[in-house]
């Protein structure tokens, strides 16, 4: 083999190794692939949320929203008068996402807010702040889509906020069916 062919082969091997490293890095570092999956056929979307976050409610035709939250849970053990230990558990929500669908023909609570476009995951959202709440809108059509309001409480951390955006970035719109609530009904 000539020196020129060896150099070409070495460059090709180096390029292949670099590409393999880059692909492996992004594949291994996408922690959302191991998260819990919530799929909602009636409302035609799915999302992922991390272990340690809680699904608080399920969407139904009588409920507007799904709540995904991170909650501080603490336990305290005390001794009662008879010397028996008593455990009390307290929980305090740090942050939650309220996720539902919106229909601009009925109500658009975020109309007055100035919005900007942001890409999270595979979707482009309109985002802004209204009444102190950060919100994200993922349109399915000109009048309907998935809306997310972010409720951050005093104990919320920057990591909570980053995780909330990661959750929002995992939302995938599912195909609409004739029985899809979002396709056939409007919120109350």
């Amino acid at each position: 083999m000539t020196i020129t062919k060896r150099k070409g082969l070495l460059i090709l091997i180096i390029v292949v190794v670099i590409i393999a490293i880059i692909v492996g890095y992004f594949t291994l570092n996408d922690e959302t692939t191991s998260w819990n999956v919530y799929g909602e056929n009636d409302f035609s979307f799915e999302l992922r949320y991390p272990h340690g976050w809680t699904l608080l409610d399920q969407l139904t035709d009588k409920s507007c929203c799904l709540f995904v939250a991170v909650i501080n849970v603490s336990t305290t053990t005390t001794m009662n008068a008879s010397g028996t230990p008593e455990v009390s558990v307290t929980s305090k929500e740090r942050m939650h996402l309220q996720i539902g669908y919106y229909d601009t023909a009925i109500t658009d609570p975020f109309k007055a807010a100035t919005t900007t476009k942001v890409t999270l995951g595979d979707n482009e959202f309109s985002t802004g702040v209204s009444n102190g709440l950060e919100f994200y809108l993922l349109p399915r059509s000109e009048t309907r889509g998935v809306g997310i309001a972010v409720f951050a409480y005093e104990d919320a951390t920057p990591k909570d906020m980053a995780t909330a955006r990661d959750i929002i970035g995992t939302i995938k719109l599912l195909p609409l069916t004739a029985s899809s609530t979002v396709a056939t009904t409007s919120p109350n």
Side-chain angles (χ1 to χ4, degrees):
M1 193 180 284
T2 66
I3 292 178
T4 305
K5 286 184 181 180
R6 284 184 193 169
K7 284 183 181 179
L9 183 60
L10 181 60
I11 290 172
L12 178 63
I13 291 171
I14 291 172
V15 168
V16 168
V17 168
I18 290 172
I19 291 172
I21 290 170
I22 291 171
V23 168
Y25 174 81
F26 286 108
T27 302
L28 293 175
N29 286 311
D30 184 5
E31 67 185 41
T32 64
T33 58
S34 66
W35 286 2
N36 300 312
V37 177
Y38 175 81
E40 180 49 68
N41 290 329
D42 285 344
F43 286 78
S44 301
F45 72 86
E46 75 172 31
L47 63 84
R48 293 181 176 274
Y49 61 99
H51 307 284
W53 283 60
T54 305
L55 195 61
L56 297 175
D57 198 5
Q58 302 239 342
L59 288 167
T60 68
D61 59 350
K62 302 201 179 359
S63 169
C64 74
C65 306
L66 168 74
F67 296 91
V68 181
V70 61
I71 300 171
N72 285 340
V73 177
S74 58
T75 58
T76 307
T77 305
T78 56
M79 298 298 229
N80 65 17
S82 64
T84 307
E86 292 182 349
V87 177
S88 63
V89 178
T90 57
S91 62
K92 184 177 180 187
E93 195 173 311
R94 291 194 322 243
M95 168 178 276
H96 79 255
L97 303 178
Q98 180 177 334
I99 305 164
Y101 69 93
Y102 67 90
D103 185 335
T104 58
I106 306 264
T107 179
D108 188 351
F110 306 115
K111 266 186 192 170
T114 303
T115 61
T116 58
K117 299 288 186 190
V118 63
T119 300
L120 296 172
D122 295 333
N123 299 307
E124 183 176 76
F125 294 84
S126 294
T127 185
V129 176
S130 177
N131 298 321
L133 293 177
E134 187 172 331
F135 66 89
Y136 296 83
L137 302 174
L138 177 58
R140 180 179 285 286
S141 70
E142 287 190 26
T143 60
R144 290 179 181 247
V146 176
I148 304 104
V150 179
F151 292 80
Y153 302 105
E154 64 187 43
D155 293 343
T157 66
K159 185 175 189 294
D160 293 336
M161 197 62 209
T163 302
R165 288 188 183 106
D166 288 343
I167 292 169
I168 293 166
T170 69
I171 292 175
K172 289 190 178 13
L173 296 176
L174 302 174
L176 289 174
T177 64
S179 65
S180 295
T181 303
V182 72
T184 58
T185 64
S186 299
N188 296 336

